[in-house]
Each structure stands twice: as C-alpha cells, then as structure tokens.
Amino acid sequence: ELKVEQNPLFLSMQEGKNYTIYCNYSTTSDRLYWYRQDPGKSLESLFVLLSNGAVKQEGRLMASLDTKARLSTLHITAAVHDLSATYFCAVAPVMYTGTASKLTFGTGTRLQVTL
Amino acid sequence: EAGVTQFPSHSVIEKGQTVTLRCDPISGHDNLYWYRRVMGKEIKFLLHFVKESKQDESGMPNNRFLAERTGGTYSTLKVQPAELEDSGVYFCASSQGVLASGRGETQYFGPGTRLLVL
C-alpha cells in the first residue's frame, strides 16, 4: 500500500524566512503533485512533477523531485503572509491505459507566516 | 472556464438519514474522482469514473455509499443510511485523462461538501 508522509505537520515562520516542506512516499510512483488549500476553499494545483530531478518554480515556491530517494520538497523563499495555507503533496501511479489514477495524499502541512 | 462545482456546500443530517452529494466536473473532463477527508485525517480516495464507467471503486468504505455518473457528465454520491463516522469533507475532482501534457494530468478539485452527521 502506498504511503505518503509529509513533514512538518505545522509550520510557523516569520516573513522573510526560508523553509522546506518534505514529502516522502513508500513505493515507486510516476507523478508527484503539490496542492495548496486555503481554509474552507478548494485544493489549488501548484506543481506536477513528472520525472526524477524535476524542479519547478512559481514565485516564492520551488518544488523538486528525487524518485530514487522517493522524496519531494517544497521550498519557500522569503515567506510572505499570503503564503499562509495548508500544503498537500500527493502521488499517483500511471495506469496501463496511460491515464493517471487516484491520488494518495500526505497529511498536509499547515503553514502560518507571521509578521 | 468554469471549475469543478459541488452541491451542497454544507449538509447537516441525523444518523440514519440519506444524503446525496453532487459534483459537476469541468466540461470535457472524462475523469471524475471522489475523495473524502475525515477530521484530522488524510484526504482519502473513494472512487474514480472514466466517463460513465467506474474505473476504480476500491476506496468506497462500504455498501452504504453509492456513486453514479449517468451520461458521463455530473456525478452523485449517495450515503444511505448515514452514520456518525461519515462526517467529513467530500471533494470531487476531474481531469482530462490524457497524459499529453502536465496540465492534462492535473486533477482539479471542487470546493468540497462539508457533511456533518449528528
């Protein structure tokens, strides 16, 4: 059974600081996703990482994937208050039909950026 | 382009009653997924439709849950009879289902239905 572990569960950080959220998964997977959720809102797709060594950046967020270590990281640079949210990683195998399948989620990291 | 929509946004029912949740996926998305997050737990997969067919229903907890997607458009998830442990947030997601590009593989989520069973 695929397991996804995310840490930390909760992160309080000051504006301007850098930090990294870690996502470990237990078995080989073809797709690694990062989502953001604001309270009471939908999950917003941030990144889709498709191969070993993949790195994607959007603003102050950068995600990377190491399939050999079964590890993805979400790095936050110079945090601002607007980044406060819950961040989820999720993994999915690719079905033999070539379509993606169900996502297995990590527990989520609740990020709070303070002044 | 309209996103994934879900109805109702909130539902409070008593144990033993029936509730039906609805999901309208993004137009043209063949894949539709249902997930659930019980308080304090991870978001868990329930089932996956490809058009009107159930591709994977391995996450459905028991036979009190019935999902349909008639005509391959919107989907409903019925819980009958509801139990206390069914409380949580039910998310629906859709995707194009074509692995031609990164965007095509992304699952787009609705806002969720918050279900409380008393």
Side-chain angles (χ1 to χ4, degrees), chain A residues 25 29-32 48-55 64-67:
Chain A
Y25 52 97
S29 182
D30 300 277
R31 302 286 185 271
L32 192 294
V48 180
L49 303 171
L50 305 178
S51 61
N52 187 42
V55 177
S64 65
L65 178 62
D66 181 344
T67 57

Side-chain angles (χ1 to χ4, degrees), chain A residues 46-49 54-64 73-78:
Chain A
L46 294 175
F47 303 107
V48 180
L49 303 171
V55 177
K56 290 194 175 180
Q57 183 163 5
E58 181 74 33
R60 300 175 187 274
L61 300 178
M62 183 175 70
S64 65
T73 60
L74 180 66
H75 187 73
I76 303 155
T77 301

Side-chain angles (χ1 to χ4, degrees), chain B:
Chain B
E1 178 183 285
V4 177
T5 58
Q6 292 185 245
F7 182 83
S9 58
H10 296 79
S11 181
V12 181
I13 61 173
E14 292 187 352
K15 176 182 172 180
Q17 289 186 322
T18 298
V19 62
T20 300
L21 314 181
R22 173 171 170 145
C23 168
D24 286 80
I26 293 171
S27 178
H29 281 192
D30 288 340
N31 290 273
L32 187 149
Y33 304 82
W34 283 98
Y35 294 87
R36 175 175 75 170
R37 188 178 195 193
V38 172
M39 181 70 74
K41 304 285 188 180
E42 297 92 339
I43 300 170
K44 293 283 193 182
F45 166 81
L46 295 177
L47 87 160
H48 170 202
F49 284 100
V50 178
K51 297 184 180 178
E52 67 275 8
S53 299
K54 291 177 185 176
Q55 183 72 41
D56 181 355
E57 51 184 328
S58 61
M60 294 288 263
N62 51 60
N63 59 10
R64 294 186 293 104
F65 289 73
L66 175 64
E68 294 180 329
R69 192 183 182 194
T70 306
T73 54
Y74 71 91
S75 174
T76 58
L77 179 65
K78 179 190 288 188
V79 185
Q80 179 183 30
E83 298 289 344
L84 300 180
E85 63 264 25
D86 299 333
S87 296
V89 182
Y90 290 77
F91 291 102
C92 174
S94 71
S95 72
Q96 290 179 336
V98 177
L99 296 181
S101 67
R103 293 188 66 82
E105 298 160 359
T106 299
Q107 291 184 26
Y108 297 90
F109 280 75
T113 294
R114 282 144 190 83
L115 174 64
L116 178 60
V117 182
L118 302 175

Side-chain angles (χ1 to χ4, degrees), chain A residues 7 15 23 35 41 46 53 57 61 72 87 93 98 105 107 111:
Chain A
N7 68 83
E15 277 199 335
C23 176
Y35 284 89
K41 304 291 186 181
L46 294 175
Q57 183 163 5
L61 300 178
S72 180
Y87 293 84
F105 281 86
T107 51
L111 172 65

Side-chain angles (χ1 to χ4, degrees), chain A residues 27-42:
Chain A
T27 62
T28 301
S29 182
D30 300 277
R31 302 286 185 271
L32 192 294
Y33 301 78
W34 284 97
Y35 284 89
R36 166 183 172 148
Q37 186 186 30
D38 292 293
K41 304 291 186 181
S42 176

